[in-house]
Amino acid sequence: MKTRKVLDKLEDSLCHFLISELCKADPTKRGSPELYKYKGLNISADPKSRAQEKTISIRIGALEAEFKIDDCEKNSGCLSPDEERLVMLWLAKNEVNYSLKTIFVKKAGEMKMAIIPFDLEHFYSN
């Protein structure tokens, strides 16, 4: 599946998770304008990153934080304390973590050899 499609689904999932968790204590918040900021949240990832620990960036309004995928901890940045706690809970969900890890999986068929030595052509030709 394409990386952008996976990230779009995860953005939608995180949006619904944050709204439902924040409305548990006070259900009257559900239609309030302060929750509209979650409709525009953004998740970004660099699948070509060579870093050992894979991370994603989550932007909510003007605030952005980077989270590690493996241990669901905040790497850098800042969100509100409630939002950070809820994002970490969301990242710890099995289906979310699995979806995020599929973004960073390298496909086996993508390896290409740029230069073929002329005396070894018979080894590399199909």
Side-chain angles (χ1 to χ4, degrees), residues 75-102:
N75 195 22
S76 64
C78 181
L79 297 175
S80 74
D82 289 338
E83 290 170 348
E84 284 180 6
R85 181 182 57 82
L86 291 173
V87 167
M88 285 187 235
L89 287 173
W90 177 77
L91 285 171
K93 294 170 85 176
N94 286 334
E95 63 273 7
V96 171
N97 204 291
Y98 177 77
S99 295
L100 286 170
K101 287 181 180 180
T102 61

Side-chain angles (χ1 to χ4, degrees), residues 30-47:
R30 186 158 301 273
S32 69
E34 70 185 63
L35 295 181
Y36 281 114
K37 68 180 178 180
Y38 299 118
K39 294 290 185 186
L41 67 84
N42 185 12
I43 298 175
S44 59
D46 183 14

